[in-house]
């Protein structure tokens, strides 16, 4: 079964030289030798928030590819004029190549919007890579061609680029036109921008949904229209009741300059619209090829499973080979009818060519999921997706409840959640539709000091060859809240992270049985038995990815709020100091026998120290904190909600953790709201 929203599942499959380049679309298709060559000619460079990479009017020095963080491209006509933001660059995107390839000065300024890391390749080494790696040159030539041709279309550096998507299918159908209409309608609703759906196939008007059948959709003859007159082009545009416009184009394959006339037509349309959705014909024509060269995104429609494995796979390979597209620039949409059964944690093997696809639910049988998917695709393309990452941390993870409460109160929209360990559990509660107060009520069931140990239960003990506890009693505690739920049943898409014990790879669940995915993600080494899965065993997701930002950024989520609840070394030192001062205060002005009694009681009540569980957890959390600290650079908003006076096992003290989450989230609230409107 296909995954829900699995755009860009895997970062790397092996620990080979140049592995980190596998996660970058520009280099993901390169061979190991080519990746090693890129590494040889490049170096990592860090920028702080507000740093300027290069300024408008300066000569080009290097090519930059974003490893983490976010950058802004802006310009101003004069020194005293207000800055005009043109666009933003995100992880995996690149800049600086246009000036290098054309030899011109930079037409705009680039600054870091967050702390960021880039891969920098100086001009001379950049030219060497172009000569030695043909596929690298192909991709960049396409990128340059798109920029230059859009310049011909009348774009100025003071105008935000229009976004162009092409939709490809082997045969037009009513299901596809329904999807197109709903997708473009959602895009208008999300962006409130001007949108045109341009039919280049000549078939769209015959398959229009019932609610658009009344539209007078005249066909524009490309051979006869006077492109120089905007009126000639716009007179045939139909206004839909859903906030977007429609235009059908009649082509003449015998017309030699057909593609040039099409480019000129886009000149007119580019001044009127912010988004263009081009419905391509199934056969290759000069116009279709030109449309592909202009496109930022390709949507491939596959009517059924057999078609997905033939037409789509072939077309995907062709677009990568001939047009320089990478897989992150393509979306494969495959509809299905009634709800399909999902076995536990399904991960059907599919060809590499179609790893990036979405299963579109049936509008007839699953209207809610269908609308959610359509809205997700619209927000993804318009770069308005907001992702929430909830990190691991045992009892520290109760702070996530406070974070969720502020998000609820301030109506911060969250489109998708990613979580590890306790973060996966809290994210799952919220994704089912429970609010923060209901989740807090569940947490308070562990409000006594011995409740956690009762939850583990002596009856749950196992032979400690793989873990002291089976984990069955914990699952029985969670069962009333999740029952037999699947990821499909969630109101917010969720990604749950676990770690493969045998391969040390990250495993991301977004389909199948929800309880099993959570059980895998909370399998703390030493505490619980690893979760058996396909001949292997899965451990706590925090071991390998305590702050799973990567699983969202690879899907195209551009606005990420990450929450780390793990204490820093400074927090731990402060905790010990607080405890020392508390004991010292008790000993003041006490008789000798009472001081001795207090000291004795203190030793007896140090139930957390000196035992194997504490040794295991402290060791794990030391490691997780360092990993999370490095991962935090990939987040747009980072919230560190850790209590210095807390302990990993204090599930019986939810108040202080929840309050910490509230306080730290409110500190970032202004920055969050600023991020949403960018």
């Amino acid at each position: 079964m296909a995954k829900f929203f699995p755009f860009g599942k895997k970062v790397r499959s092996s620990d080979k030289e140049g592995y980190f380049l596998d996660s970058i679309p520009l280099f993901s298709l390169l061979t190991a030798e080519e990746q090693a060559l890129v590494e040889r000619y490049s170096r990592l460079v860090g920028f702080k928030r507000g740093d300027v990479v290069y300024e408008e009017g300066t000569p080009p020095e290097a090519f930059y590819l974003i490893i983490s963080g976010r950058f802004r491209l802006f310009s101003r006509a004069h020194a005293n004029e207000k800055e005009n933001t043109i666009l933003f660059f995100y992880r995996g995107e690149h800049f600086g190549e246009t000036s290098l390839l054309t030899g011109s000065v930079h037409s705009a300024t680039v600054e870091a919007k967050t702390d960021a890391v880039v891969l920098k390749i100086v001009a001379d080494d950049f030219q060497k890579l172009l000569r030695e790696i043909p596929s690298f040159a192909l991709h960049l030539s396409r990128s340059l061609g798109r920029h230059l041709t859009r310049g011909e279309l009348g774009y100025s550096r003071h105008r935000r680029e229009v976004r162009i998507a092409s939709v490809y299918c082997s045969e037009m159908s009513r299901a596809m036109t329904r999807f197109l209409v709903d997708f473009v309608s959602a895009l208008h609703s999300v962006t409130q921008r001007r949108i045109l759906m341009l039919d280049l196939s000549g078939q769209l008007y015959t398959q229009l949904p019932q609610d658009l059948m009344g539209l007078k959709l005249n066909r524009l003859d490309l051979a006869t229209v006077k492109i120089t007159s905007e009126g000639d082009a716009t007179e045939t545009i139909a206004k839909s009741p859903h906030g977007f416009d429609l235009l059908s184009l009649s082509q003449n394959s015998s017309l030699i300059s057909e593609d040039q006339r099409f480019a000129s037509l886009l000149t007119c349309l580019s001044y009127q619209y912010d988004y263009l959705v081009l419905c391509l014909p199934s056969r290759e024509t000069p116009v279709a090829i030109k449309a592909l060269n202009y496109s930022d995104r390709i949507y491939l429609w596959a009517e059924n499973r057999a078609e997905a494995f033939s037409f789509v796979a072939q077309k995907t390979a062709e677009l990568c080979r001939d047009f320089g597209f990478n897989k992150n620039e393509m979306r494969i949409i495959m509809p299905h009818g009634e709800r399909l059964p999902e076995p536990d944690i399904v991960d059907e093997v599919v060809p590499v060519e179609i790893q990036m696809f979405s299963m579109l639910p049936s509008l007839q049988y699953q209207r809610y999921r269908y609308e959610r998917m359509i809205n997700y695709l619209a927000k993804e393309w318009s770069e308005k997706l907001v992702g929430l990452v909830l990190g691991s941390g045992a009892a520290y993870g109760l702070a996530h409840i406070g974070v969720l409460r502020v998000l609820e109160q301030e109506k911060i929209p969250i489109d998708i959640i990613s979580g590890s360990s306790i973060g996966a559990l809290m994210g799952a509660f919220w994704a089912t539709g429970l609010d923060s107060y209901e989740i807090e009520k569940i947490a308070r069931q562990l409000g006594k000091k011995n409740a956690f140990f009762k939850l583990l239960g002596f009856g749950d003990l196992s032979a400690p060859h793989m873990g002291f506890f089976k984990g069955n009693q914990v699952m029985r505690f969670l069962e009333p809240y999740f029952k037999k739920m699947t990821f499909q049943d969630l109101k917010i898409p969720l990604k749950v992270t676990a770690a493969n014990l045998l391969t040390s790879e990250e495993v991301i669940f977004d389909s199948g049985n929800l309880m099993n995915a959570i059980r895998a993600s909370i399998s703390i080494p030493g505490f619980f038995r690893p979760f058996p899965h396909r001949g292997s065993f899965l451990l706590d997701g925090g071991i390998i990815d305590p702050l799973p930002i990567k699983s969202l950024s690879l899907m195209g989520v551009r606005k990420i709020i990450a929450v780390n609840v793990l204490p820093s070394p400074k927090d731990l030192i402060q905790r010990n100091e607080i405890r020392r001062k508390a004991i010292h205060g008790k000993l003041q002005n006490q008789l000798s026998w009472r001081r001795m009694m207090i000291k004795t009681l203190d030793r007896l009540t140090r139930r957390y120290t000196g035992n194997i569980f504490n040794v295991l957890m402290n060791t794990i959390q030391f490691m997780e904190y360092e990993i999370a600290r490095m991962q935090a650079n990939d987040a747009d908003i980072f919230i560190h909600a850790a209590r210095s006076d807390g302990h990993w096992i204090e599930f019986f003290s939810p108040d202080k953790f929840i309050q910490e989450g509230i306080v730290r989230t409110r500190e970032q609230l202004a920055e969050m709201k600023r991020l949403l409107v960018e």
Side-chain angles (χ1 to χ4, degrees):
M1 171 123 9
K3 302 287 189 196
F4 190 57
F5 306 128
F7 304 147
K9 277 299 282 185
K10 212 72 164 171
V11 177
R12 58 186 170 96
S13 58
S14 63
D15 193 18
K16 62 179 183 290
E17 186 179 7
Y19 68 86
F20 79 96
L21 296 179
D22 287 349
S23 64
I24 301 171
L26 180 60
F27 300 124
S28 59
L29 299 179
L30 301 185
T31 64
E33 292 76 17
E34 291 171 335
Q35 289 185 0
L37 192 64
V38 173
E39 286 192 347
R40 189 191 314 162
Y41 288 136
S42 62
R43 64 187 179 97
L44 292 174
V45 178
F47 291 95
K48 294 292 185 182
R49 182 191 301 264
D51 286 352
V52 173
V53 182
Y54 56 73
E55 293 193 0
E56 182 177 357
T58 59
E61 295 181 348
F63 167 80
Y64 304 88
L65 191 142
I66 303 172
I67 304 298
S68 66
R70 182 162 49 98
F71 292 82
R72 179 173 72 108
L73 181 74
F74 67 91
S75 180
R76 55 167 71 94
H78 304 286
N80 296 327
E81 284 193 2
K82 184 180 178 182
E83 295 174 356
N84 178 62
T85 298
I86 301 171
L87 50 83
F88 291 92
F89 295 113
Y90 301 89
R91 185 185 189 277
E93 297 182 334
H94 46 85
F95 55 88
E97 73 278 3
T98 301
S99 296
L100 283 172
L101 293 171
T102 61
S104 59
V105 297
H106 293 300
S107 60
T109 300
V110 174
E111 73 164 358
K113 287 292 292 179
T114 65
D115 291 352
V117 177
V118 302
L119 198 71
K120 181 178 179 179
I121 305 174
V122 297
D124 291 343
D125 292 335
F126 178 76
Q127 296 297 334
K128 292 177 184 176
L129 286 177
L130 291 180
R131 292 193 298 269
E132 297 182 35
I133 305 179
S135 59
F136 179 60
L138 173 64
H139 182 96
L140 289 178
S141 64
R142 172 178 163 265
S143 177
L144 176 64
R146 193 166 65 210
H147 288 154
L148 294 179
T149 51
R150 290 186 175 186
E152 296 171 2
L153 297 181
Y155 294 113
S156 73
R157 65 189 184 187
H158 303 293
R159 183 183 185 277
R160 189 178 180 90
E161 284 191 302
V162 68
R163 298 175 185 241
I164 302 176
S166 288
V167 183
Y168 229 130
C169 68
S170 60
E171 185 178 353
M172 187 72 67
S173 66
R174 290 201 178 275
M176 180 191 170
T177 55
R178 180 75 269 171
F179 161 74
L180 272 177
V181 169
D182 293 339
F183 171 60
V184 179
S185 300
L187 188 63
H188 172 73
S189 178
V190 167
T191 64
Q192 295 299 305
R193 299 278 185 169
R194 300 163 299 175
I195 304 169
L196 175 70
M197 184 158 57
L198 181 58
D199 177 28
L200 306 180
S201 68
Q203 302 177 22
L204 184 64
Y205 72 98
T206 65
Q207 303 288 344
L208 284 176
Q210 193 67 36
D211 53 340
L212 296 180
M213 290 298 289
L215 287 180
K216 186 179 180 182
L217 192 59
N218 299 317
R219 300 186 69 185
L220 182 68
D221 192 341
L222 191 58
T224 60
V225 67
K226 297 178 181 178
I227 306 295
T228 55
S229 171
E230 286 190 25
D232 288 340
T234 59
E235 284 176 358
T236 52
I237 293 176
K239 303 281 185 183
S240 83
H242 302 297
F244 64 90
D245 296 345
L246 283 144
L247 176 62
S248 184
L249 189 64
S250 176
Q251 304 171 52
N252 185 355
S253 57
S254 63
L255 186 64
I256 299 177
S257 61
E258 188 180 44
D259 56 339
Q260 284 81 12
R261 293 184 66 83
F262 173 68
S264 299
L265 174 64
L266 289 184
T267 303
C268 301
L269 299 176
S270 67
Y271 284 104
Q272 302 173 59
Y273 297 97
D274 301 289
Y275 291 86
L276 297 176
V277 180
L278 313 180
C279 186
L280 303 187
S282 56
R283 68 186 189 284
E284 283 194 358
T285 65
V287 169
I289 294 172
K290 182 67 78 173
L292 287 171
N293 285 325
Y294 288 151
S295 297
D296 310 291
R297 177 67 55 87
I298 305 293
Y299 294 94
L300 296 164
W301 177 266
E303 194 70 33
N304 53 59
R305 191 174 292 271
E307 188 180 25
F309 284 81
S310 55
F311 163 75
V312 171
Q314 177 185 347
K315 187 57 68 175
T316 301
E318 179 187 314
L319 291 168
C320 291
R321 183 186 66 250
D322 299 337
F323 292 90
F325 283 98
N326 61 65
K327 291 187 174 66
N328 274 15
E329 295 172 312
M330 292 180 278
R331 298 289 179 263
I332 300 170
I333 312 297
M334 188 165 60
H336 65 73
E338 295 189 45
R339 175 173 176 150
L340 302 176
E342 284 190 294
D344 290 354
I345 310 180
V346 178
D347 188 19
E348 183 175 304
V349 179
V350 299
V352 66
E353 291 85 2
I354 59 170
Q355 278 187 351
M356 297 166 39
F357 71 102
S358 279
M359 189 70 91
L360 187 67
S362 168
L363 177 62
Q364 180 180 358
Y365 299 101
Q366 303 174 49
R367 176 175 290 276
Y368 176 80
R369 290 189 64 238
Y370 174 88
E371 292 174 349
R372 186 182 71 185
M373 171 68 109
I374 295 293
N375 191 63
Y376 183 96
L377 289 170
K379 294 184 82 172
E380 182 213 25
W381 188 33
S382 59
E383 297 180 346
K384 293 185 177 295
L385 284 175
V386 180
L388 176 64
V389 179
L390 302 178
S392 60
Y396 294 109
L398 296 173
H400 291 314
I401 299 173
V403 176
L404 298 176
R405 182 157 303 162
V406 176
L407 297 180
E408 291 167 356
Q409 293 172 346
E410 300 297 331
K411 296 181 171 53
I412 304 296
I414 300 297
D415 300 298
I416 187 167
I417 304 169
S418 174
S420 279
S421 195
I422 186 70
L425 178 60
M426 293 297 170
F429 279 134
W430 208 49
T432 62
L434 298 177
D435 63 28
S436 61
Y437 291 97
E438 291 171 310
I439 301 172
E440 180 183 350
K441 191 175 180 180
I442 297 170
R444 290 192 180 280
Q445 295 182 40
L446 303 175
K448 296 180 180 179
K449 292 188 177 183
N450 61 349
F452 180 73
F453 294 101
K454 285 184 177 180
L455 183 61
L456 295 177
F458 289 105
D460 209 37
L461 285 170
S462 73
H465 63 284
M466 295 190 76
F468 284 98
F469 300 97
K470 301 173 186 176
N472 296 337
Q473 198 153 312
V474 172
M475 299 309 289
R476 283 194 290 271
F477 174 76
L478 297 175
E479 189 174 3
Y481 308 104
F482 300 116
K483 298 181 180 177
K484 295 183 179 180
M485 293 184 69
T486 70
F487 283 81
Q488 287 187 2
D489 301 314
L490 298 176
K491 291 183 169 53
I492 304 174
L494 173 69
K495 287 186 170 291
V496 173
T497 299
N500 191 311
L501 176 62
L502 302 184
T503 66
S504 72
E505 288 185 323
E506 182 179 11
V507 180
I508 301 173
F509 297 126
D510 52 16
S511 69
N513 186 283
L514 183 61
M515 282 273 291
N516 287 346
I518 293 172
R519 170 64 178 85
S521 189
I522 64 172
S523 299
I524 305 171
F527 281 75
F528 298 115
R529 283 181 181 175
F531 183 76
H533 175 66
R534 300 190 173 183
S536 188
F537 296 95
L538 302 183
L539 291 173
D540 191 301
I543 299 297
I544 197 168
D545 200 355
L547 201 62
I549 297 172
K550 181 172 59 185
S551 61
L552 298 188
S553 62
L554 288 175
M555 295 170 53
V557 181
R558 299 306 196 191
K559 302 177 181 182
I560 296 177
I561 303 168
V563 186
N564 181 17
V565 297
L566 292 165
S568 67
K570 183 179 178 181
D571 293 323
L572 296 176
I573 293 171
Q574 188 176 349
R575 184 182 71 189
N576 293 332
E577 183 65 16
I578 291 172
R579 181 176 181 83
R580 189 191 66 79
K581 287 182 178 180
I583 297 299
H584 182 75
K586 288 182 180 180
L587 297 176
Q588 295 294 315
N589 302 319
Q590 298 289 335
L591 298 174
S592 59
W593 69 270
R594 286 186 62 86
R595 286 199 300 269
M596 184 174 293
M597 184 183 69
I598 291 171
K599 289 179 180 179
T600 302
L601 288 173
D602 179 59
R603 293 191 189 98
L604 292 174
T605 56
R606 290 181 188 176
R607 60 176 66 91
Y608 312 128
T609 60
N611 61 67
I612 188 172
F613 298 114
N614 197 57
V615 171
L616 282 170
M617 281 301 295
N618 282 349
T619 303
I620 292 168
Q621 292 192 340
F622 293 159
M623 176 191 67
E624 288 182 352
Y625 175 79
E626 288 302 315
I627 298 173
R629 184 178 60 83
M630 293 184 289
Q631 292 175 319
N633 291 327
D634 288 340
D636 297 285
I637 305 293
F638 176 64
I639 301 170
H640 190 204
R643 292 284 301 215
S644 59
D645 61 344
H647 197 279
W648 66 267
I649 207 169
E650 283 192 79
F651 287 95
F652 52 81
S653 304
D655 290 331
K656 65 180 181 183
F657 294 112
I658 294 172
Q659 185 60 31
E660 184 72 10
I662 292 173
V663 171
R664 299 306 174 196
T665 306
R666 289 208 168 273
E667 289 176 353
Q668 299 285 344
L669 192 57
E671 193 66 24
M672 266 189 236
K673 293 183 177 181
R674 193 177 302 114
L675 177 68
L676 295 178
V677 299
E678 285 183 346

